[in-house]
Amino acid sequence: MNQTLHRALWNPLRTIDGAELPPGYPDIGFFEVDRRVFPREYEALTENELGSSALSREWYARNPSMYTVLLAGDEVVGYCNLMPLEDAAYQQILAGTLADGEILPDMVRPFDRPGPYKAFCCGVGIVEGYRRNGTGLRALLRGVWRRWVARAECGCYLSELAGVAWSDDGRQLCERLWLHRVGKHGSYGDVYCAKIAQSDRLPAGSMLRRLYELYRAKGIL
């Protein structure tokens, strides 16, 4: 049994808000997870398409809470970056004309005021061993859900969600979240999106359907 799988069997999984990470972790941590999960993609794609560790630090400084971090014990084994964007940048994502490495820090919105937020699923990564039977992904998505539930208490709600899938795992994740394909990205992959207000017919229990029902109950939608 390899060391990663051994730890996965014995360490309980939990999630934290990105703002709870120790100082210095975002400098390299998310890119280390990505390189372990997507080695072929990191060889094939450019820094402009993927972003850089320096840019990731700037994103994190702008809004650390857009990251949900998956822990096994005290080890970071995954993350989800659900990046709230200014509308113009979000529309460029949908049009397939904005690459990850072109997302400037001032395009990222902090959670600083009530109202709708359009988010781009900029990155999801779970290291080998913690993807077994989908356990790590389920725990990570539960953490993402809980944080949007908490934000609803302050009047911040998710109105639209987009993603760019440049791997088979990415396409499967978009389909699992019930995002629909809207076209090709100009540089790489496929663009997906969903509007929460149109999620009433999604399967009961899906994350977007649950957010729809929560927002309806609170009179947000």
Side-chain angles (χ1 to χ4, degrees):
M1 181 182 297
N2 67 51
Q3 188 175 9
T4 301
L5 181 56
H6 177 78
R7 290 197 302 269
L9 291 173
W10 290 101
N11 288 330
L13 294 174
R14 61 190 177 94
T15 59
I16 61 171
D17 188 291
E20 300 175 61
L21 285 170
Y25 180 82
D27 289 1
I28 57 173
F30 300 128
F31 272 73
E32 284 188 346
V33 170
D34 277 351
R35 288 192 176 99
R36 291 170 67 183
V37 176
F38 306 112
R40 289 179 297 178
E41 287 80 359
Y42 265 76
E43 288 182 4
L45 299 176
T46 66
E47 186 174 286
N48 184 66
E49 292 165 330
L50 292 168
S52 65
S53 57
L55 184 58
S56 182
R57 286 195 295 272
E58 294 186 78
W59 291 342
Y60 181 86
R62 179 74 170 169
N63 185 347
S65 291
M66 67 186 181
Y67 292 92
T68 299
V69 183
L70 182 67
L71 299 177
D74 293 325
E75 179 187 5
V76 174
V77 296
Y79 77 95
C80 175
N81 176 4
L82 218 60
M83 179 185 287
L85 291 174
E86 297 291 347
D87 187 65
Y90 184 83
Q91 296 306 322
Q92 286 181 276
I93 292 289
L94 292 185
T97 58
L98 185 66
D100 288 13
E102 297 171 337
I103 300 175
L104 303 177
D106 62 4
M107 296 176 176
V108 178
R109 293 184 61 192
F111 295 121
D112 60 352
R113 61 175 67 94
Y117 286 80
K118 297 176 180 179
F120 168 47
C121 190
C122 188
V124 177
I126 301 171
V127 301
E128 184 181 0
Y130 297 91
R131 289 179 279 169
R132 190 182 189 194
N133 300 322
T135 303
L137 182 59
R138 286 193 297 272
L140 185 57
L141 292 180
R142 281 196 301 270
V144 172
W145 150 258
R146 285 196 297 267
R147 278 154 188 84
W148 281 102
V149 169
R151 290 181 192 119
E153 297 299 322
C154 303
C156 299
Y157 66 95
L158 182 66
S159 61
E160 295 187 34
L161 177 61
V164 177
W166 39 267
S167 68
D168 289 340
D169 284 346
R171 293 180 185 90
Q172 290 172 13
L173 176 60
C174 287
E175 291 167 2
R176 176 170 179 164
L177 291 174
W178 295 92
L179 307 186
H180 60 274
R181 185 181 178 277
V182 294
K184 296 286 290 184
H185 193 278
S187 299
Y188 58 93
D190 299 299
V191 181
Y192 291 78
C193 79
K195 295 183 178 182
I196 306 303
Q198 298 174 357
S199 299
D200 56 315
R201 296 185 181 180
L202 294 184
S206 63
M207 189 178 79
L208 298 187
R209 171 70 178 270
R210 291 168 71 192
L211 285 176
Y212 169 86
E213 291 171 349
L214 172 70
Y215 297 159
R216 289 280 292 180
K218 289 183 172 295
I220 294 174
L221 293 179

